[in-house]
Amino acid sequence: MTVVKSRQFREKQGKILLEGRRLIADALKAGAVPRVFFFSRLDYIKELPIEKLKGVSLIKVKFEDIKDWSDLVTPQGIMGIFAKPDHVKMTYPETQLLHALPILLICDNLRDPGNLGTILRSAAGVGCSKVLLTKGCVDAWEPKVLRAGMGAHFQVPIINNLDWEAVPNYLPNDTRVYVADNCGLYTQAQAQMSNKASDYGWVCDRRPLKFHKYEEEEEYLESAANKGWLPELEVQSYDSDWTEAPAAVVIGGETSGVSLESLQLAESTGGGRLLIPIVPGVDSLNSAMAASILLFEGRRQLRVRAEHLSRDGSYH
């Protein structure tokens, strides 16, 4: 079971471990393919759709064994090994497809499993069209991420372990990329030079962007931006209109911020940086909170635009 929980097993064997009756039921409904079930009571197997159990190994074990293996506070008596889901072959809930929005989420250097799981829940709740994870992120199928995701893995398409060169292939035409990492030094330097957004607090003002190692961060960033080394991105408040075209939001990890590649992609697509104002002196929002604020703000903007269009249409 230790081997089954490892990232190496997931990547080399192409299999994942799911635990709990609801998560397993969600996985089966979405078309995930089971290989083995461990269960302590036959009733738990009888709850599952019989047609999904063909060719599956069913292994009855003691509940004490499941307790030893489990990551849950209250183990539910059933665990399953599944083939790692392929988003192309999955069947997502009709309600999810019906409410899907032209908003996509890109996770960049997110390494905290709890944060990623929470972000996936928000993405599913908003109706994101898909979630992209770049290399350097925690594995979306790690048990802790699955636990925090509460079934979101089977409600929104997730594409894992992408190189930045491959990211544009997953973006719809005319998508604009907006960066909202947890590091404000670049933003501060840009604001000082342009006198824009100078009254705002920043999502974070503690850490340098990961792609430079200078001690005098602010001076360096200002000179780097002046020399054109950093992409020049417009800084705009998170509640300004950024959903006119299909949008992709990049959320950076809390310790390492966003990558240079994400800034370059934002510049090349005509996007920008989204700023969540906070009271000066208050510590940063975490990545999951920032993602939730931005995604639901994007949803609000799209709803308001749709209402305006329907009102305008009713006059003609």
Side-chain angles (χ1 to χ4, degrees), residues 35-101:
R35 302 294 189 206
V36 183
F37 283 123
F38 301 95
F39 60 97
S40 60
R41 289 175 52 187
L42 193 57
D43 290 350
Y44 299 148
I45 292 296
K46 287 180 178 177
E47 291 173 357
L48 303 176
I50 190 73
E51 70 275 7
K52 301 281 190 180
L53 300 180
K54 290 177 183 173
V56 180
S57 298
L58 305 176
I59 303 174
K60 191 171 188 300
V61 296
K62 294 176 183 176
F63 185 69
E64 284 70 27
D65 289 332
I66 286 185
K67 273 173 70 174
D68 288 342
W69 302 337
S70 177
D71 287 320
L72 301 180
V73 177
T74 310
Q76 295 181 25
I78 184 167
M79 306 174 86
I81 295 175
F82 283 71
K84 189 188 269 191
D86 179 349
H87 72 280
V88 175
K89 297 176 182 175
M90 298 285 280
T91 306
Y92 297 99
E94 278 188 38
T95 50
Q96 201 72 25
L97 298 172
L98 203 64
H99 292 93
L101 301 176

Side-chain angles (χ1 to χ4, degrees), residues 199-244:
D199 294 330
Y200 285 117
W202 313 99
V203 171
C204 164
D205 61 4
R206 292 181 296 130
R207 296 180 183 274
L209 291 168
K210 76 168 192 179
F211 48 81
H212 70 84
K213 300 177 182 175
Y214 290 75
E215 292 181 4
E216 302 296 327
E217 291 111 357
E218 293 191 32
E219 285 180 23
Y220 176 72
L221 281 165
E222 186 165 343
S223 64
N226 276 330
K227 290 174 186 173
W229 185 74
L230 286 176
E232 289 194 25
L233 294 175
E234 182 184 348
V235 178
Q236 60 190 87
S237 179
Y238 78 106
D239 56 357
S240 62
D241 192 356
W242 48 271
T243 56
E244 292 172 309

Side-chain angles (χ1 to χ4, degrees), residues 171-192:
L171 303 181
N173 292 336
D174 304 321
T175 297
R176 293 177 188 164
V177 175
Y178 293 89
V179 176
D181 70 281
N182 279 345
C183 186
L185 292 173
Y186 176 91
T187 311
Q188 286 175 322
Q190 290 291 81
Q192 285 163 8

Side-chain angles (χ1 to χ4, degrees), residues 130-150:
K130 63 181 74 133
V131 179
L132 309 181
L133 276 67
T134 61
K135 285 184 175 173
C137 288
V138 63
D139 182 12
W141 299 101
E142 180 185 296
K144 287 180 182 176
V145 182
L146 283 160
R147 193 161 69 247
M150 294 291 288

Side-chain angles (χ1 to χ4, degrees), residues 109-110 115 119 180 182 251-255 285-292:
N109 291 305
L110 273 170
N115 273 348
I119 285 170
N182 279 345
I251 296 292
E254 287 164 35
T255 54
L285 300 177
N286 76 17
S287 301
M289 183 65 74
S292 298

Side-chain angles (χ1 to χ4, degrees), residues 269-289:
T269 58
R273 291 181 63 93
L274 297 177
L275 186 63
I276 302 173
I278 59 174
V279 174
V282 175
D283 203 2
S284 64
L285 300 177
N286 76 17
S287 301
M289 183 65 74

Side-chain angles (χ1 to χ4, degrees), residues 7 10-11 105-113 116 119 131-142 145 158-162 164 210 250-253 256-257:
R7 183 165 189 160
R10 290 191 297 274
E11 290 178 352
L105 183 66
I106 303 172
C107 298
D108 183 17
N109 291 305
L110 273 170
R111 292 169 190 170
D112 183 271
L116 180 56
I119 285 170
V131 179
L132 309 181
L133 276 67
T134 61
K135 285 184 175 173
C137 288
V138 63
D139 182 12
W141 299 101
E142 180 185 296
V145 182
I158 300 167
I159 298 103
N160 221 358
N161 209 28
L162 288 174
W164 274 103
K210 76 168 192 179
V250 180
I251 296 292
S256 48

